[in-house]
Amino acid sequence: MLRIGVLVSGGGTNLQAILDAIESGSIPNASVELVISNKKNAFALTRAAESGVSTMVIGRKGYENGTAFDNALSDALRSADIDLVLLAGFMAILGPDFFTHFKNRVMNVHPALIPAFSGPGFYGLKVHEAVLATGCKVTGASVHFVTPEVDAGPLILQKAVEVHQDDDAETLQKRVMEEAEWKIYPQAVSLFAQGLLSVQGHHVKISQ
Ligand code: GAR
């Protein structure tokens, strides 16, 4: 059984997509054991509690520096015997120390086709605002393994989504979530849970 820990900061729709996919059996042999938020009012915490999942709040402000914050997160995840960490709308950057224990065992979903509209400063609605300002006709979402360099780890799955002429950032965010994020994130976790992913340098190979 794959023990999953999820780090969140906000609404938690991606967390919900993962919980639903486990419940329906489309992610086999896995369970979400712990949800940690760095924001105490995150609705994701309510979603976790409603599914009977343990929750914790670990805020950056409670720690002297980034390393101490990373260690607190890592310690909590390790105490719960977590095998795979999912960032699901987690709006904090993890430092290199976090990855000594969880190398190639941390995934993130990003609301654009990496390397476009990614890296420091590109998060949440800001990504969709930038896509619209550029006049892109297509955007999408990416799931990748996380490394210390923001949004630059090995890509696992990507899915394209059309931009509509009358989109604003909110309508585009909703379409990217519905058509891409909520599909490819559970798919990537399912592949991991079945042992079908291997990281070779900067590339992820999927065995079928
Ligand atoms: C999602 O669109 C996710 O891709 C994005 O924040 C939103 C969180 O929504 N993450 C990032 O921008 C990270 N760089 P959720 O809390 O409803 O899952």
Side-chain angles (χ1 to χ4, degrees):
M1 177 73 75
L2 181 75
R3 295 173 65 85
I4 298 174
V6 187
L7 304 188
V8 297
S9 303
T13 63
N14 280 288
L15 165 67
Q16 192 67 57
I18 300 294
L19 291 168
D20 293 348
I22 290 172
E23 177 73 24
S24 72
S26 50
I27 299 176
N29 217 11
S31 69
V32 176
E33 294 292 333
L34 178 62
V35 170
I36 304 177
S37 175
N38 64 336
K39 304 279 177 211
K40 65 176 186 308
N41 296 324
F43 186 65
L45 291 168
T46 305
R47 293 180 187 274
E50 278 171 2
S51 288
V53 177
S54 303
T55 61
M56 288 177 79
V57 176
I58 299 180
R60 168 71 181 80
K61 280 190 187 138
Y63 298 89
E64 207 171 301
N65 53 42
T67 305
F69 174 59
D70 290 347
N71 288 341
L73 292 170
S74 180
D75 289 350
L77 293 161
R78 291 168 72 169
S79 301
D81 279 327
I82 296 302
D83 305 304
L84 175 68
V85 180
L86 303 179
L87 309 189
F90 183 63
M91 301 302 178
I93 293 171
L94 298 166
D97 289 348
F98 187 86
F99 300 97
T100 44
H101 182 74
F102 288 108
K103 187 170 160 44
N104 292 337
R105 292 194 292 133
V106 186
M107 285 184 190
N108 180 44
V109 64
H110 182 74
L113 293 174
I114 291 172
F117 306 105
S118 61
F122 285 106
Y123 57 87
L125 275 181
K126 286 179 193 287
V127 175
H128 304 292
E129 285 163 3
V131 166
L132 291 172
T134 308
C136 293
K137 305 294 185 187
V138 173
T139 182
S142 307
V143 178
H144 62 96
F145 283 112
V146 182
T147 59
E149 204 187 332
V150 180
D151 296 335
L155 289 162
I156 304 166
L157 293 175
Q158 293 186 294
K159 191 165 191 291
V161 174
E162 269 183 25
V163 179
H164 293 177
Q165 296 206 105
D166 57 354
D167 269 331
D168 58 26
E170 282 84 7
T171 60
L172 184 56
Q173 179 183 55
K174 184 166 180 280
R175 189 173 324 105
V176 168
M177 284 176 157
E178 286 173 357
E179 293 184 10
E181 295 186 49
W182 301 343
K183 294 184 175 169
I184 62 173
Y185 211 6
Q187 278 168 10
V189 175
S190 178
L191 291 167
F192 188 99
Q194 294 172 78
L196 297 174
L197 298 181
S198 67
V199 182
Q200 298 173 15
H202 197 65
H203 295 85
V204 176
K205 301 285 180 206
I206 303 175
S207 352
Q208 293 291 3

